[in-house]
Amino acid sequence: MTIAVIDVKTHSLITTIPVGTGLFDTYGMAITPDGKLVYVTTLPDSISVIDVKTHSIIATVAVDDLADDFPVDIAFTPDGKLAYVTNPFSKKISIIDVKTHSVISSIQVSRNPFIVDISPNGKLAYVTNKDIQIVEPNTISVIDVKTHSLINTIEFAVTDNLLDIAFNPDGSIVYVVGNSPNSTVFAIDTDTHSVIATIVVGDSPFSLKFTPDGKLAYVVNRGGASVSVIDVKTHTVIATVPVNALSGNIDFSPDGKLAYVTSETSDNFLTAINVKTHSVIANIMIPFGQSDVTFTPDGRLAYVTHQNDEFVSVVDVKTHTVIATVQINFRPSTVIFTPDGKLAYVTQILI
């Protein structure tokens, strides 16, 4: 797998960094809160650590003693001292000390862990666990970050495929997307670690994101060509916004006024939604199928990756127009920015 580094000021490719073979390109990259390091999951069982200043790999962390464990997702604690990594085949979560780039603890869970999110106060980690055999119900592991211990396991009555998970900004609620069989979002109270609401959304929900103020959650329904808008206070759907077929990922502008939604089909648009009115205000022509969209920290631009071609589109948020394309040497998947907004890191599509 290759990582591209883009200069956001000039919209030009600075360098590419070979990091080995990856497995799940939709997750496996995260940047420390101080913007100094990028962690990338690579096969068979390691994390590549990239120094943002030099664009070089400065360490490789073996996350487990099981050969070919295939680490998937990474999340940093808000203070940047720890990284949590999911290892589905060993059914373990590895905890890395970011200062020493070494595994200091691991936590065994009952299913195959995939996605991890850490609460805004850094006290809890929630991990979605799938049963790869699709026999046992999926679960969520609740981990005490201070003690590196499993403190709760949330069981689901059906084998919902848990596709996305997120804490709201104050950390009081976790929303989890379960796309089968009932197209639902589960609301979990983080004090009791219990499901307090089951919210029916559109067909095949795929991803979710809270608005920056935490009052709303937008859920992209991949099969339903729509976005469900949830009032977080009441856990009810208050609006449904029609978008393009096979819509996948969503991001909000930092001020929370605008949402962009991608579409993976080659003949559809990037959809711009006014969050106040829950209405589509622009369809931005970006061909070749969009994989991911991310706003710059200042909210002036959005970077859109293309799963069917080797470039990244740069969108001016004020005018909803493409102002630049950045040619890279591979099909791009996800994009993240350094906290200062000067650099963009882009992963490679693997399948």
Side-chain angles (χ1 to χ4, degrees), residues 67-99:
D68 299 332
D69 192 37
F70 307 150
V72 173
D73 197 21
I74 307 170
F76 289 103
T77 53
D79 61 11
K81 293 181 178 180
L82 300 173
Y84 273 60
V85 179
T86 57
N87 306 291
F89 289 91
S90 66
K91 300 181 181 179
K92 288 182 180 180
I93 294 97
S94 298
I95 302 164
I96 299 173
D97 183 313
V98 176
K99 185 176 182 180

PDB file of all heavy atoms in Angstrom, residues 67-99:
ATOM      1  N   ALA A  67       0.623 -14.719  13.703  1.00  0.00           N
ATOM      2  CA  ALA A  67       1.037 -14.427  12.330  1.00  0.00           C
ATOM      3  C   ALA A  67      -0.187 -14.108  11.470  1.00  0.00           C
ATOM      4  O   ALA A  67      -1.254 -14.702  11.627  1.00  0.00           O
ATOM      5  CB  ALA A  67       1.787 -15.624  11.751  1.00  0.00           C
ATOM      6  N   ASP A  68      -0.016 -13.161  10.577  1.00  0.00           N
ATOM      7  CA  ASP A  68      -1.079 -12.765   9.644  1.00  0.00           C
ATOM      8  C   ASP A  68      -2.355 -12.367  10.376  1.00  0.00           C
ATOM      9  O   ASP A  68      -3.463 -12.798  10.038  1.00  0.00           O
ATOM     10  CB  ASP A  68      -1.376 -13.901   8.657  1.00  0.00           C
ATOM     11  CG  ASP A  68      -0.174 -14.268   7.819  1.00  0.00           C
ATOM     12  OD1 ASP A  68       0.667 -13.386   7.586  1.00  0.00           O
ATOM     13  OD2 ASP A  68      -0.078 -15.435   7.406  1.00  0.00           O
ATOM     14  N   ASP A  69      -2.235 -11.500  11.364  1.00  0.00           N
ATOM     15  CA  ASP A  69      -3.404 -11.117  12.144  1.00  0.00           C
ATOM     16  C   ASP A  69      -4.230 -10.036  11.460  1.00  0.00           C
ATOM     17  O   ASP A  69      -5.403  -9.896  11.737  1.00  0.00           O
ATOM     18  CB  ASP A  69      -2.976 -10.637  13.536  1.00  0.00           C
ATOM     19  CG  ASP A  69      -4.171 -10.504  14.457  1.00  0.00           C
ATOM     20  OD1 ASP A  69      -5.075 -11.336  14.356  1.00  0.00           O
ATOM     21  OD2 ASP A  69      -4.218  -9.555  15.237  1.00  0.00           O
ATOM     22  N   PHE A  70      -3.639  -9.260  10.565  1.00  0.00           N
ATOM     23  CA  PHE A  70      -4.363  -8.263   9.781  1.00  0.00           C
ATOM     24  C   PHE A  70      -5.017  -7.170  10.644  1.00  0.00           C
ATOM     25  O   PHE A  70      -6.240  -7.133  10.777  1.00  0.00           O
ATOM     26  CB  PHE A  70      -5.429  -8.913   8.903  1.00  0.00           C
ATOM     27  CG  PHE A  70      -4.938 -10.018   8.025  1.00  0.00           C
ATOM     28  CD1 PHE A  70      -5.778 -11.063   7.666  1.00  0.00           C
ATOM     29  CD2 PHE A  70      -3.640 -10.026   7.542  1.00  0.00           C
ATOM     30  CE1 PHE A  70      -5.323 -12.090   6.845  1.00  0.00           C
ATOM     31  CE2 PHE A  70      -3.183 -11.041   6.722  1.00  0.00           C
ATOM     32  CZ  PHE A  70      -4.030 -12.079   6.380  1.00  0.00           C
ATOM     33  N   PRO A  71      -4.247  -6.294  11.254  1.00  0.00           N
ATOM     34  CA  PRO A  71      -4.850  -5.185  12.007  1.00  0.00           C
ATOM     35  C   PRO A  71      -5.702  -4.319  11.087  1.00  0.00           C
ATOM     36  O   PRO A  71      -5.363  -4.128   9.917  1.00  0.00           O
ATOM     37  CB  PRO A  71      -3.636  -4.422  12.550  1.00  0.00           C
ATOM     38  CG  PRO A  71      -2.515  -4.776  11.624  1.00  0.00           C
ATOM     39  CD  PRO A  71      -2.780  -6.187  11.200  1.00  0.00           C
ATOM     40  N   VAL A  72      -6.811  -3.768  11.628  1.00  0.00           N
ATOM     41  CA  VAL A  72      -7.786  -3.074  10.789  1.00  0.00           C
ATOM     42  C   VAL A  72      -7.879  -1.595  11.107  1.00  0.00           C
ATOM     43  O   VAL A  72      -7.590  -0.744  10.273  1.00  0.00           O
ATOM     44  CB  VAL A  72      -9.178  -3.741  10.925  1.00  0.00           C
ATOM     45  CG1 VAL A  72     -10.236  -2.921  10.191  1.00  0.00           C
ATOM     46  CG2 VAL A  72      -9.141  -5.149  10.368  1.00  0.00           C
ATOM     47  N   ASP A  73      -8.293  -1.235  12.312  1.00  0.00           N
ATOM     48  CA  ASP A  73      -8.629   0.152  12.623  1.00  0.00           C
ATOM     49  C   ASP A  73      -7.730   0.686  13.734  1.00  0.00           C
ATOM     50  O   ASP A  73      -7.212  -0.067  14.563  1.00  0.00           O
ATOM     51  CB  ASP A  73     -10.098   0.247  13.052  1.00  0.00           C
ATOM     52  CG  ASP A  73     -10.636   1.666  12.997  1.00  0.00           C
ATOM     53  OD1 ASP A  73     -10.047   2.512  12.281  1.00  0.00           O
ATOM     54  OD2 ASP A  73     -11.647   1.947  13.660  1.00  0.00           O
ATOM     55  N   ILE A  74      -7.567   2.025  13.734  1.00  0.00           N
ATOM     56  CA  ILE A  74      -6.716   2.712  14.707  1.00  0.00           C
ATOM     57  C   ILE A  74      -7.464   3.918  15.253  1.00  0.00           C
ATOM     58  O   ILE A  74      -8.118   4.639  14.501  1.00  0.00           O
ATOM     59  CB  ILE A  74      -5.411   3.229  14.064  1.00  0.00           C
ATOM     60  CG1 ILE A  74      -4.658   2.125  13.329  1.00  0.00           C
ATOM     61  CG2 ILE A  74      -4.499   3.869  15.116  1.00  0.00           C
ATOM     62  CD1 ILE A  74      -3.516   2.647  12.486  1.00  0.00           C
ATOM     63  N   ALA A  75      -7.330   4.147  16.553  1.00  0.00           N
ATOM     64  CA  ALA A  75      -7.844   5.388  17.156  1.00  0.00           C
ATOM     65  C   ALA A  75      -6.874   5.839  18.239  1.00  0.00           C
ATOM     66  O   ALA A  75      -6.386   5.019  19.025  1.00  0.00           O
ATOM     67  CB  ALA A  75      -9.227   5.174  17.753  1.00  0.00           C
ATOM     68  N   PHE A  76      -6.602   7.147  18.275  1.00  0.00           N
ATOM     69  CA  PHE A  76      -5.742   7.726  19.302  1.00  0.00           C
ATOM     70  C   PHE A  76      -6.583   8.291  20.443  1.00  0.00           C
ATOM     71  O   PHE A  76      -7.697   8.788  20.220  1.00  0.00           O
ATOM     72  CB  PHE A  76      -4.880   8.854  18.725  1.00  0.00           C
ATOM     73  CG  PHE A  76      -3.799   8.392  17.791  1.00  0.00           C
ATOM     74  CD1 PHE A  76      -3.945   8.528  16.414  1.00  0.00           C
ATOM     75  CD2 PHE A  76      -2.634   7.819  18.278  1.00  0.00           C
ATOM     76  CE1 PHE A  76      -2.958   8.109  15.545  1.00  0.00           C
ATOM     77  CE2 PHE A  76      -1.629   7.387  17.418  1.00  0.00           C
ATOM     78  CZ  PHE A  76      -1.795   7.535  16.051  1.00  0.00           C
ATOM     79  N   THR A  77      -6.043   8.219  21.647  1.00  0.00           N
ATOM     80  CA  THR A  77      -6.667   8.941  22.753  1.00  0.00           C
ATOM     81  C   THR A  77      -6.503  10.439  22.509  1.00  0.00           C
ATOM     82  O   THR A  77      -5.583  10.869  21.808  1.00  0.00           O
ATOM     83  CB  THR A  77      -6.023   8.550  24.087  1.00  0.00           C
ATOM     84  OG1 THR A  77      -4.589   8.708  23.992  1.00  0.00           O
ATOM     85  CG2 THR A  77      -6.340   7.115  24.458  1.00  0.00           C
ATOM     86  N   PRO A  78      -7.414  11.264  23.056  1.00  0.00           N
ATOM     87  CA  PRO A  78      -7.336  12.709  22.798  1.00  0.00           C
ATOM     88  C   PRO A  78      -6.010  13.353  23.181  1.00  0.00           C
ATOM     89  O   PRO A  78      -5.610  14.354  22.567  1.00  0.00           O
ATOM     90  CB  PRO A  78      -8.492  13.266  23.642  1.00  0.00           C
ATOM     91  CG  PRO A  78      -9.454  12.146  23.738  1.00  0.00           C
ATOM     92  CD  PRO A  78      -8.615  10.905  23.827  1.00  0.00           C
ATOM     93  N   ASP A  79      -5.314  12.800  24.177  1.00  0.00           N
ATOM     94  CA  ASP A  79      -4.019  13.362  24.558  1.00  0.00           C
ATOM     95  C   ASP A  79      -2.878  12.849  23.688  1.00  0.00           C
ATOM     96  O   ASP A  79      -1.724  13.280  23.826  1.00  0.00           O
ATOM     97  CB  ASP A  79      -3.713  13.092  26.036  1.00  0.00           C
ATOM     98  CG  ASP A  79      -3.642  11.603  26.387  1.00  0.00           C
ATOM     99  OD1 ASP A  79      -3.625  10.763  25.462  1.00  0.00           O
ATOM    100  OD2 ASP A  79      -3.613  11.279  27.592  1.00  0.00           O
ATOM    101  N   GLY A  80      -3.187  11.930  22.788  1.00  0.00           N
ATOM    102  CA  GLY A  80      -2.191  11.424  21.850  1.00  0.00           C
ATOM    103  C   GLY A  80      -1.190  10.459  22.434  1.00  0.00           C
ATOM    104  O   GLY A  80      -0.236  10.069  21.754  1.00  0.00           O
ATOM    105  N   LYS A  81      -1.398  10.010  23.658  1.00  0.00           N
ATOM    106  CA  LYS A  81      -0.408   9.141  24.300  1.00  0.00           C
ATOM    107  C   LYS A  81      -0.567   7.666  23.939  1.00  0.00           C
ATOM    108  O   LYS A  81       0.397   6.910  24.003  1.00  0.00           O
ATOM    109  CB  LYS A  81      -0.490   9.311  25.819  1.00  0.00           C
ATOM    110  CG  LYS A  81      -0.050  10.684  26.309  1.00  0.00           C
ATOM    111  CD  LYS A  81      -0.127  10.784  27.827  1.00  0.00           C
ATOM    112  CE  LYS A  81       0.353  12.154  28.303  1.00  0.00           C
ATOM    113  NZ  LYS A  81       0.292  12.267  29.788  1.00  0.00           N
ATOM    114  N   LEU A  82      -1.784   7.268  23.587  1.00  0.00           N
ATOM    115  CA  LEU A  82      -2.060   5.864  23.296  1.00  0.00           C
ATOM    116  C   LEU A  82      -2.755   5.726  21.949  1.00  0.00           C
ATOM    117  O   LEU A  82      -3.482   6.622  21.513  1.00  0.00           O
ATOM    118  CB  LEU A  82      -2.943   5.246  24.379  1.00  0.00           C
ATOM    119  CG  LEU A  82      -2.414   5.238  25.808  1.00  0.00           C
ATOM    120  CD1 LEU A  82      -3.511   4.746  26.755  1.00  0.00           C
ATOM    121  CD2 LEU A  82      -1.171   4.367  25.938  1.00  0.00           C
ATOM    122  N   ALA A  83      -2.532   4.570  21.319  1.00  0.00           N
ATOM    123  CA  ALA A  83      -3.283   4.192  20.124  1.00  0.00           C
ATOM    124  C   ALA A  83      -3.913   2.832  20.365  1.00  0.00           C
ATOM    125  O   ALA A  83      -3.264   1.920  20.897  1.00  0.00           O
ATOM    126  CB  ALA A  83      -2.369   4.131  18.906  1.00  0.00           C
ATOM    127  N   TYR A  84      -5.183   2.710  19.999  1.00  0.00           N
ATOM    128  CA  TYR A  84      -5.893   1.437  20.073  1.00  0.00           C
ATOM    129  C   TYR A  84      -6.003   0.867  18.667  1.00  0.00           C
ATOM    130  O   TYR A  84      -6.406   1.566  17.731  1.00  0.00           O
ATOM    131  CB  TYR A  84      -7.275   1.636  20.678  1.00  0.00           C
ATOM    132  CG  TYR A  84      -7.315   1.580  22.188  1.00  0.00           C
ATOM    133  CD1 TYR A  84      -6.578   2.479  22.954  1.00  0.00           C
ATOM    134  CD2 TYR A  84      -8.064   0.618  22.858  1.00  0.00           C
ATOM    135  CE1 TYR A  84      -6.600   2.427  24.341  1.00  0.00           C
ATOM    136  CE2 TYR A  84      -8.086   0.558  24.240  1.00  0.00           C
ATOM    137  CZ  TYR A  84      -7.357   1.456  24.983  1.00  0.00           C
ATOM    138  OH  TYR A  84      -7.371   1.397  26.347  1.00  0.00           O
ATOM    139  N   VAL A  85      -5.680  -0.426  18.522  1.00  0.00           N
ATOM    140  CA  VAL A  85      -5.680  -1.087  17.217  1.00  0.00           C
ATOM    141  C   VAL A  85      -6.498  -2.366  17.317  1.00  0.00           C
ATOM    142  O   VAL A  85      -6.315  -3.167  18.238  1.00  0.00           O
ATOM    143  CB  VAL A  85      -4.250  -1.429  16.754  1.00  0.00           C
ATOM    144  CG1 VAL A  85      -4.273  -2.137  15.403  1.00  0.00           C
ATOM    145  CG2 VAL A  85      -3.384  -0.174  16.687  1.00  0.00           C
ATOM    146  N   THR A  86      -7.419  -2.568  16.359  1.00  0.00           N
ATOM    147  CA  THR A  86      -8.219  -3.784  16.347  1.00  0.00           C
ATOM    148  C   THR A  86      -7.541  -4.868  15.511  1.00  0.00           C
ATOM    149  O   THR A  86      -7.030  -4.607  14.421  1.00  0.00           O
ATOM    150  CB  THR A  86      -9.621  -3.521  15.786  1.00  0.00           C
ATOM    151  OG1 THR A  86      -9.521  -2.977  14.471  1.00  0.00           O
ATOM    152  CG2 THR A  86     -10.377  -2.549  16.682  1.00  0.00           C
ATOM    153  N   ASN A  87      -7.559  -6.101  16.034  1.00  0.00           N
ATOM    154  CA  ASN A  87      -6.963  -7.258  15.374  1.00  0.00           C
ATOM    155  C   ASN A  87      -8.025  -8.359  15.301  1.00  0.00           C
ATOM    156  O   ASN A  87      -8.194  -9.132  16.251  1.00  0.00           O
ATOM    157  CB  ASN A  87      -5.751  -7.764  16.156  1.00  0.00           C
ATOM    158  CG  ASN A  87      -4.731  -6.674  16.409  1.00  0.00           C
ATOM    159  OD1 ASN A  87      -4.091  -6.201  15.483  1.00  0.00           O
ATOM    160  ND2 ASN A  87      -4.583  -6.274  17.658  1.00  0.00           N
ATOM    161  N   PRO A  88      -8.767  -8.438  14.197  1.00  0.00           N
ATOM    162  CA  PRO A  88      -9.927  -9.333  14.169  1.00  0.00           C
ATOM    163  C   PRO A  88      -9.617 -10.814  14.287  1.00  0.00           C
ATOM    164  O   PRO A  88     -10.380 -11.559  14.897  1.00  0.00           O
ATOM    165  CB  PRO A  88     -10.593  -9.008  12.833  1.00  0.00           C
ATOM    166  CG  PRO A  88      -9.551  -8.335  12.019  1.00  0.00           C
ATOM    167  CD  PRO A  88      -8.663  -7.626  12.980  1.00  0.00           C
ATOM    168  N   PHE A  89      -8.513 -11.274  13.733  1.00  0.00           N
ATOM    169  CA  PHE A  89      -8.288 -12.711  13.703  1.00  0.00           C
ATOM    170  C   PHE A  89      -7.819 -13.266  15.048  1.00  0.00           C
ATOM    171  O   PHE A  89      -8.122 -14.404  15.394  1.00  0.00           O
ATOM    172  CB  PHE A  89      -7.312 -13.069  12.578  1.00  0.00           C
ATOM    173  CG  PHE A  89      -7.924 -12.901  11.223  1.00  0.00           C
ATOM    174  CD1 PHE A  89      -7.816 -11.704  10.540  1.00  0.00           C
ATOM    175  CD2 PHE A  89      -8.654 -13.927  10.639  1.00  0.00           C
ATOM    176  CE1 PHE A  89      -8.403 -11.534   9.299  1.00  0.00           C
ATOM    177  CE2 PHE A  89      -9.246 -13.763   9.393  1.00  0.00           C
ATOM    178  CZ  PHE A  89      -9.117 -12.567   8.725  1.00  0.00           C
ATOM    179  N   SER A  90      -7.114 -12.466  15.812  1.00  0.00           N
ATOM    180  CA  SER A  90      -6.722 -12.899  17.149  1.00  0.00           C
ATOM    181  C   SER A  90      -7.750 -12.515  18.206  1.00  0.00           C
ATOM    182  O   SER A  90      -7.618 -12.880  19.370  1.00  0.00           O
ATOM    183  CB  SER A  90      -5.368 -12.293  17.536  1.00  0.00           C
ATOM    184  OG  SER A  90      -5.476 -10.882  17.659  1.00  0.00           O
ATOM    185  N   LYS A  91      -8.778 -11.739  17.790  1.00  0.00           N
ATOM    186  CA  LYS A  91      -9.822 -11.254  18.701  1.00  0.00           C
ATOM    187  C   LYS A  91      -9.216 -10.421  19.832  1.00  0.00           C
ATOM    188  O   LYS A  91      -9.599 -10.536  20.990  1.00  0.00           O
ATOM    189  CB  LYS A  91     -10.647 -12.418  19.257  1.00  0.00           C
ATOM    190  CG  LYS A  91     -11.362 -13.231  18.198  1.00  0.00           C
ATOM    191  CD  LYS A  91     -12.178 -14.354  18.811  1.00  0.00           C
ATOM    192  CE  LYS A  91     -12.874 -15.166  17.724  1.00  0.00           C
ATOM    193  NZ  LYS A  91     -13.671 -16.284  18.276  1.00  0.00           N
ATOM    194  N   LYS A  92      -8.278  -9.560  19.453  1.00  0.00           N
ATOM    195  CA  LYS A  92      -7.595  -8.722  20.429  1.00  0.00           C
ATOM    196  C   LYS A  92      -7.598  -7.252  20.017  1.00  0.00           C
ATOM    197  O   LYS A  92      -7.625  -6.938  18.822  1.00  0.00           O
ATOM    198  CB  LYS A  92      -6.142  -9.162  20.613  1.00  0.00           C
ATOM    199  CG  LYS A  92      -5.947 -10.462  21.365  1.00  0.00           C
ATOM    200  CD  LYS A  92      -4.463 -10.764  21.516  1.00  0.00           C
ATOM    201  CE  LYS A  92      -4.232 -12.055  22.260  1.00  0.00           C
ATOM    202  NZ  LYS A  92      -2.772 -12.346  22.396  1.00  0.00           N
ATOM    203  N   ILE A  93      -7.555  -6.380  21.020  1.00  0.00           N
ATOM    204  CA  ILE A  93      -7.281  -4.960  20.812  1.00  0.00           C
ATOM    205  C   ILE A  93      -5.904  -4.693  21.379  1.00  0.00           C
ATOM    206  O   ILE A  93      -5.644  -4.972  22.559  1.00  0.00           O
ATOM    207  CB  ILE A  93      -8.331  -4.056  21.484  1.00  0.00           C
ATOM    208  CG1 ILE A  93      -9.704  -4.239  20.828  1.00  0.00           C
ATOM    209  CG2 ILE A  93      -7.915  -2.596  21.367  1.00  0.00           C
ATOM    210  CD1 ILE A  93     -10.601  -5.184  21.549  1.00  0.00           C
ATOM    211  N   SER A  94      -5.002  -4.195  20.530  1.00  0.00           N
ATOM    212  CA  SER A  94      -3.652  -3.864  20.983  1.00  0.00           C
ATOM    213  C   SER A  94      -3.594  -2.396  21.372  1.00  0.00           C
ATOM    214  O   SER A  94      -4.164  -1.533  20.699  1.00  0.00           O
ATOM    215  CB  SER A  94      -2.629  -4.124  19.873  1.00  0.00           C
ATOM    216  OG  SER A  94      -2.613  -5.486  19.520  1.00  0.00           O
ATOM    217  N   ILE A  95      -2.875  -2.113  22.465  1.00  0.00           N
ATOM    218  CA  ILE A  95      -2.720  -0.744  22.953  1.00  0.00           C
ATOM    219  C   ILE A  95      -1.252  -0.354  22.816  1.00  0.00           C
ATOM    220  O   ILE A  95      -0.361  -1.014  23.369  1.00  0.00           O
ATOM    221  CB  ILE A  95      -3.187  -0.624  24.409  1.00  0.00           C
ATOM    222  CG1 ILE A  95      -4.642  -1.059  24.506  1.00  0.00           C
ATOM    223  CG2 ILE A  95      -3.015   0.802  24.912  1.00  0.00           C
ATOM    224  CD1 ILE A  95      -5.108  -1.347  25.900  1.00  0.00           C
ATOM    225  N   ILE A  96      -1.017   0.716  22.069  1.00  0.00           N
ATOM    226  CA  ILE A  96       0.349   1.143  21.757  1.00  0.00           C
ATOM    227  C   ILE A  96       0.686   2.419  22.509  1.00  0.00           C
ATOM    228  O   ILE A  96      -0.101   3.375  22.517  1.00  0.00           O
ATOM    229  CB  ILE A  96       0.512   1.379  20.243  1.00  0.00           C
ATOM    230  CG1 ILE A  96       0.240   0.087  19.476  1.00  0.00           C
ATOM    231  CG2 ILE A  96       1.901   1.935  19.914  1.00  0.00           C
ATOM    232  CD1 ILE A  96       0.223   0.264  17.966  1.00  0.00           C
ATOM    233  N   ASP A  97       1.859   2.432  23.132  1.00  0.00           N
ATOM    234  CA  ASP A  97       2.413   3.651  23.711  1.00  0.00           C
ATOM    235  C   ASP A  97       3.034   4.455  22.570  1.00  0.00           C
ATOM    236  O   ASP A  97       3.990   4.013  21.931  1.00  0.00           O
ATOM    237  CB  ASP A  97       3.467   3.296  24.763  1.00  0.00           C
ATOM    238  CG  ASP A  97       4.043   4.509  25.460  1.00  0.00           C
ATOM    239  OD1 ASP A  97       4.412   5.491  24.782  1.00  0.00           O
ATOM    240  OD2 ASP A  97       4.149   4.495  26.693  1.00  0.00           O
ATOM    241  N   VAL A  98       2.458   5.607  22.283  1.00  0.00           N
ATOM    242  CA  VAL A  98       2.884   6.391  21.115  1.00  0.00           C
ATOM    243  C   VAL A  98       4.294   6.956  21.301  1.00  0.00           C
ATOM    244  O   VAL A  98       5.020   7.183  20.323  1.00  0.00           O
ATOM    245  CB  VAL A  98       1.859   7.506  20.829  1.00  0.00           C
ATOM    246  CG1 VAL A  98       2.305   8.414  19.692  1.00  0.00           C
ATOM    247  CG2 VAL A  98       0.495   6.887  20.497  1.00  0.00           C
ATOM    248  N   LYS A  99       4.697   7.183  22.534  1.00  0.00           N
ATOM    249  CA  LYS A  99       6.041   7.718  22.783  1.00  0.00           C
ATOM    250  C   LYS A  99       7.112   6.706  22.419  1.00  0.00           C
ATOM    251  O   LYS A  99       8.150   7.048  21.835  1.00  0.00           O
ATOM    252  CB  LYS A  99       6.178   8.132  24.246  1.00  0.00           C
ATOM    253  CG  LYS A  99       7.493   8.817  24.569  1.00  0.00           C
ATOM    254  CD  LYS A  99       7.532   9.298  26.011  1.00  0.00           C
ATOM    255  CE  LYS A  99       8.829  10.017  26.326  1.00  0.00           C
ATOM    256  NZ  LYS A  99       8.860  10.496  27.743  1.00  0.00           N
TER     257      LYS A  99
END
